[in-house]
């Protein structure tokens, strides 16, 4: 494509008006953020159900702790497949269709979990948890929608703005465990399935919000804008050759940061409710601890995004590794009956995950052009989901064969692997300069 073609190319569906007007692009960016925020509020409420009571529901149905991590493994494994599907659908048809499909599938999975609990049907439970994982994957991928039209200096802030509003639903979910349990019992459903009723409604509403309101599609507009700004084929080829290695390095670092933080966070988080119940804590206490944990995962996002844009992705990635190490140490030494220390440990765990996810996501966005952005982001999120599935599955086995303290220590020290990866990246970048 040469300059004359770029200038004269037209785009369907009213996209051309946005291509030609920077002001309209800014207006669409702001409108997109509002819609993504609205969907994230409901999406947050949906994902909290599996975090809070998934392991407890499996524990009751299976009658053993050894496989209490299976639900987290299943819905994170399901989110891996969904991340790939949502990424591919978004790449082909736009964010609106891809994200709406993922949330609606998550809602159907939550309905299946409720039916499995009523029928005490394990195969249906496992299958439904896989489908439910689509909501988790979509809730994460929605953070990318806000970056499609964001300026390079505001990408991390765009990611974090979407995430911070997830807090409203994600914190409300765990704290509604007791209330939703009563609602479930009143309609003949086991109490532990109550939060999944909330998840079904929340995910379906999130999907419908995106399906009907996310117009025009921000990814399609961003792709058209990028194509229209193409100036010189020779210049483009030179830039591509110069930055190809840099982009690849950015993808590796961003993906590694997010994968490691996900493994550590999911492993410790999954077994905390089981650990608490063994020490006499009720569902209300579990809801408080997990609610604070989820708040720490999302609420600091706005500040994290500003810091990542101002001081760089690397600084926040380092902060992630150190914070996760502290979380593992506190969880390991905390007495089982100490609500205060468990709250501190899980808050640090959520905060460390937040630092890692936002810095890693911003690095990925920086390293992907609009032409392949959604597909690449979906593939990276597959790795994140698979790492979470591994952490969830292994966490129960580690605790069953050793202890919750051992699991916490292993997770904390695993997070330190972030540091050599980042050092390698910085050294490679200096060698290229």
């Amino acid at each position: 494509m040469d300059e004359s073609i770029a200038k004269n190319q037209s785009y369907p569906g009213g996209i051309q008006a946005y291509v030609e007007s920077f002001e309209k692009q800014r207006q669409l960016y702001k409108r997109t953020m509002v819609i993504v925020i609205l969907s994230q509020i409901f999406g947050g409420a949906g994902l909290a159900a599996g975090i809070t009571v998934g392991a407890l529901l499996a524990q009751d149905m299976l009658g053993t702790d050894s496989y209490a991590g299976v639900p987290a493994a299943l819905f994170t494994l399901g989110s891996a497949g969904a991340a790939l599907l949502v990424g591919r659908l978004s790449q082909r048809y736009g964010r609106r269709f891809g994200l709406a499909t993922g949330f609606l599938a998550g809602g159907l999975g939550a309905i299946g979990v409720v039916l499995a609990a009523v029928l005490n049907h394990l195969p249906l439970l496992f299958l439904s948890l896989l489908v439910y994982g689509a909501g988790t994957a979509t809730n994460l991928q929605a953070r990318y929608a806000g970056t499609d039209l964001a300026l390079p200096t505001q990408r991390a802030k765009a990611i974090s703005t979407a995430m911070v509003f997830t807090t409203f639903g994600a914190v409300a979910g765990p704290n509604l465990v007791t209330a939703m349990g009563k609602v479930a019992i009143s309609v003949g459903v086991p109490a532990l399935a109550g939060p999944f009723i909330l998840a079904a409604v929340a995910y379906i509403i999130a999907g419908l919000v995106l399906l009907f309101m996310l117009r025009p599609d921000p990814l399609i507009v961003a792709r058209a804008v990028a194509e229209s700004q193409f100036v010189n084929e020779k210049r483009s080829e030179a830039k591509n050759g110069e930055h190809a290695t840099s982009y690849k390095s950015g993808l590796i670092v961003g993906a590694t940061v997010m994968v490691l933080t996900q493994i550590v966070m999911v492993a410790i988080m999954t077994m905390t409710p089981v650990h608490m119940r063994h020490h006499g804590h009720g569902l209300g206490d579990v809801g408080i601890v997990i609610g604070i944990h989820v708040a720490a995962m999302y609420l600091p996002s706005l500040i994290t995004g500003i810091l990542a844009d101002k001081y760089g992705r690397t600084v926040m990635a380092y902060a992630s590794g150190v914070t996760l190490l502290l979380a593992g140490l506190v969880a390991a030494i905390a007495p089982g009956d100490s609500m205060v220390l468990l709250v501190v440990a899980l808050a640090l765990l959520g905060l460390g995950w937040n630092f890692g996810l936002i810095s890693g996501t911003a690095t990925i966005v920086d390293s992907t052009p609009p032409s392949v952005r959604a597909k690449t982001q979906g593939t990276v999120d597959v790795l994140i989901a698979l790492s979470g599935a591994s952490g969830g599955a292994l966490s129960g086995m580690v605790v069953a064969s050793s202890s919750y303290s051992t699991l916490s220590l292993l997770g904390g020290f695993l997070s330190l692997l972030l540091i050599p990866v980042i050092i390698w990246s910085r050294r490679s970048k200096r060698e290229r300069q």
Side-chain angles (χ1 to χ4, degrees), residues 224-372:
V225 170
E227 290 174 357
S228 72
Q229 292 173 342
F230 187 91
V231 177
N232 188 300
E233 184 176 356
K234 183 179 292 187
R235 180 182 173 187
S236 176
E237 288 175 353
K239 286 184 70 177
N240 287 340
E242 182 181 342
H243 294 294
T245 304
S246 178
Y247 284 160
K248 183 178 179 181
S249 174
L251 288 173
I252 292 172
V253 173
T256 302
V257 169
M258 290 192 285
V259 163
L260 286 176
T261 54
Q262 186 76 358
I263 290 174
V264 175
M265 189 275 290
V266 171
I268 297 176
M269 174 199 67
T270 297
M271 294 310 298
T272 297
V274 176
H275 173 69
M276 290 181 67
R277 198 148 92 160
H278 280 320
H279 288 84
H281 295 282
L283 277 180
D285 289 346
V286 172
I288 291 171
V289 171
I290 297 300
I292 292 172
H293 165 67
V294 175
M297 288 172 65
Y298 294 100
L299 196 55
S301 294
L302 194 55
I303 297 174
T304 304
I306 293 172
L307 292 174
D309 281 332
K310 185 173 182 179
Y311 297 108
R313 296 23 170 159
T314 300
V315 171
M316 299 313 296
Y318 281 136
S320 173
V322 173
T323 306
L324 289 173
L325 173 62
L326 290 174
L329 293 175
V330 175
I333 65 173
D337 58 355
S338 174
M339 275 287 289
V340 173
L341 287 180
L342 286 173
V343 164
V344 170
L346 269 290
L348 287 171
L349 186 69
L351 185 62
W353 178 86
N354 177 273
F355 291 164
L357 186 76
I358 290 180
S359 61
T361 299
T363 303
I364 293 295
V365 174
D366 292 342
S367 304
T368 50
S371 58
V372 295

Side-chain angles (χ1 to χ4, degrees), residues 342-430:
L342 286 173
V343 164
V344 170
L346 269 290
L348 287 171
L349 186 69
L351 185 62
W353 178 86
N354 177 273
F355 291 164
L357 186 76
I358 290 180
S359 61
T361 299
T363 303
I364 293 295
V365 174
D366 292 342
S367 304
T368 50
S371 58
V372 295
R373 181 167 293 165
K375 183 170 66 174
T376 304
Q377 291 163 347
T379 302
V380 171
D381 276 6
V382 170
L383 297 176
I384 296 171
L386 289 175
S387 65
S390 301
L394 294 174
S395 63
M397 298 177 187
V398 171
V399 172
S401 61
S402 184
S403 67
Y404 176 77
S405 295
T406 300
L407 173 70
S408 300
L409 287 173
L410 287 174
F413 286 110
L414 180 63
S415 66
L416 292 181
L417 290 176
L418 290 173
I419 295 175
V421 171
I422 297 168
I423 292 174
W424 164 80
S425 171
R426 291 173 65 86
R427 183 177 299 166
S428 298
K429 185 176 181 180
R430 285 197 298 269

Side-chain angles (χ1 to χ4, degrees), residues 11-16 18-19 24-25 27-29 31-33 35-36 86-101 141-142 144-150 207 209-226 370 373-374 377:
Y11 301 91
I15 300 298
Q16 186 66 25
Y18 291 92
V19 173
K24 289 184 73 69
Q25 292 170 28
Q27 291 173 351
L28 180 58
Y29 166 69
R31 183 171 181 272
T32 297
M33 289 302 301
I35 296 167
V36 169
V86 170
R88 296 301 170 92
L89 288 174
S90 297
Q91 185 70 43
R92 185 165 184 178
Y93 301 107
R95 299 285 188 194
R96 182 177 70 89
F97 185 76
L99 296 176
T101 300
Q141 287 220 12
Y144 289 118
T147 68
D148 290 327
L149 293 171
V209 165
L210 291 165
L211 184 62
F212 291 109
M213 296 179 66
L214 197 62
R215 300 170 183 267
D217 193 283
L219 180 60
I220 294 175
V221 172
R223 193 180 301 153
V225 170
R373 181 167 293 165
Q377 291 163 347

